Amino acid sequence: MSLKGTLNSIGRALRTPKGAISGAWLALVVLGAIFAPVLTPYDYDIQDLPNAFAAPSFAHWLGTDEFGRDLLTRVLYGARTSLSVSVLSISVSVFTGMVLGAAAGYFGGAFDRAVTIFVDLTWSFPEILIALILVAIIGPGITGTMVAIAVAYLAQFTRLTRAQIMAIRSETYIEAAKSLGARDSFILLRHLLPNSLAPVLVAGMLATGDAIILEATLGFFGLGAQPPTPSWGSMMSSGSALLFKAPWIIVFPGLAVAITVVAINLFGDALIRALDIKTRLREA
């Protein structure tokens, strides 16, 4: 399926109730993250100790944290961190996985075997373990988190792209293009990759939800974004010790993570139905 067909399928997914509701929430989160400086009068890193542990009110809709910082402000700015880290990491992973998988599936031989060994090796370990090892090597922070997430999810996109390429490389139109003297790069970029794009993009979207959880997990352990930069995981970490004194500190970031991940999965399911990927994979 071409990129245009994929975009048309996204439009069909948005017209379903499941896709519309989940898409609206995702749009709301993205817009809130982008326009955070306009939506809130507070700064996310300015402490106001006299107002520490303030319960939700008209002045602070979600309350304040242990340093008196407005929690809504930090949730909005935390969305910037969590979403940007997850989306950028998965984008890098998707691009790299498509390049490796397409080359391995099309050319085969020693390169295919080398890629397969590397992919199978990383596939055998849980993503959280790979991420923890890489963050321990690179060091805590946003950069280490992004590299860890990108590498942790590389295997699934490489495997998926390779399988798609191998399924369609023997099609008649591919053989015709070869007989007409088309270069390998042209065949890959013009025919093979566009026709394997839809399943990989959907897998990338679903993996973004997992990446948000992984980023929040690393932030909860203090290995993600470092203070005072807010992220949903680090906010939950600071609120875990204050659960009975100020539960809103952990509840609202936790809800943001949970609802956003559920929305991504629901929209991904609507997109799978719109693209009819399951039928296409069975036919392949």
Side-chain angles (χ1 to χ4, degrees):
M1 181 178 290
S2 64
L3 181 59
K4 181 179 179 181
T6 302
L7 294 176
N8 290 334
S9 298
I10 293 175
R12 290 197 299 271
L14 286 171
R15 288 192 288 270
T16 64
K18 183 188 299 183
I21 295 173
S22 57
W25 172 261
L26 294 177
L28 184 65
V29 172
V30 171
L31 291 175
I34 293 174
F35 296 105
V38 179
L39 296 175
T40 174
Y42 302 102
D43 295 314
Y44 69 85
D45 56 347
I46 301 299
Q47 298 183 10
D48 184 15
L49 294 179
N51 285 321
F53 303 114
S57 63
F58 287 109
H60 302 281
W61 288 7
L62 302 185
T64 63
D65 64 7
E66 67 272 27
F67 297 108
R69 297 172 298 192
D70 182 68
L71 201 60
L72 175 59
T73 300
R74 291 184 61 79
V75 168
L76 292 176
Y77 278 94
R80 280 187 171 188
T81 303
S82 298
L83 292 181
S84 60
V85 167
S86 302
V87 171
L88 289 176
S89 301
I90 293 299
S91 298
V92 171
S93 191
V94 167
F95 177 79
T96 307
M98 290 191 71
V99 171
L100 289 175
Y106 183 73
F107 295 108
F111 180 75
D112 181 33
R113 290 192 294 272
V115 171
T116 302
I117 291 173
F118 170 75
V119 166
D120 290 343
L121 181 63
T122 58
W123 187 262
S124 62
F125 294 97
E127 288 87 357
I128 182 61
L129 179 59
I130 296 175
L132 288 173
I133 293 173
L134 290 174
V135 170
I137 295 173
I138 300 171
I142 291 178
T143 301
T145 301
M146 291 180 64
V147 173
I149 293 175
V151 174
Y153 289 96
L154 178 62
Q156 69 180 77
F157 303 122
T158 304
R159 287 168 60 99
L160 180 58
T161 304
R162 177 178 177 273
Q164 291 291 301
I165 296 297
M166 293 183 69
I168 61 179
R169 68 179 180 181
S170 59
E171 295 287 339
T172 304
Y173 67 93
I174 301 297
E175 298 297 333
K178 288 181 180 179
S179 65
L180 292 174
R183 293 175 298 179
D184 292 332
S185 59
F186 177 83
I187 294 175
L188 278 169
L189 296 175
R190 180 65 179 84
H191 297 296
L192 294 178
L193 281 176
N195 284 287
S196 63
L197 187 63
V200 179
L201 288 181
V202 173
M205 180 176 182
L206 294 175
T208 301
D210 295 335
I212 290 175
I213 296 177
L214 182 54
E215 189 277 333
T217 302
L218 294 174
F220 188 87
F221 291 140
L223 301 175
Q226 298 300 296
T229 303
S231 72
W232 289 340
S234 62
M235 294 169 65
M236 293 170 62
S237 177
S238 64
S240 61
L242 304 168
L243 180 60
F244 297 103
K245 182 176 182 180
W248 52 86
I249 298 178
I250 188 174
V251 167
F252 289 119
L255 285 175
V257 172
I259 297 176
T260 301
V261 172
V262 170
I264 290 174
N265 289 328
L266 289 177
F267 188 79
D269 184 64
L271 190 56
I272 288 174
R273 294 178 182 273
L275 290 167
D276 200 18
I277 288 178
K278 293 181 179 179
T279 301
R280 293 174 62 225
L281 289 176
R282 283 197 299 268
E283 292 174 351

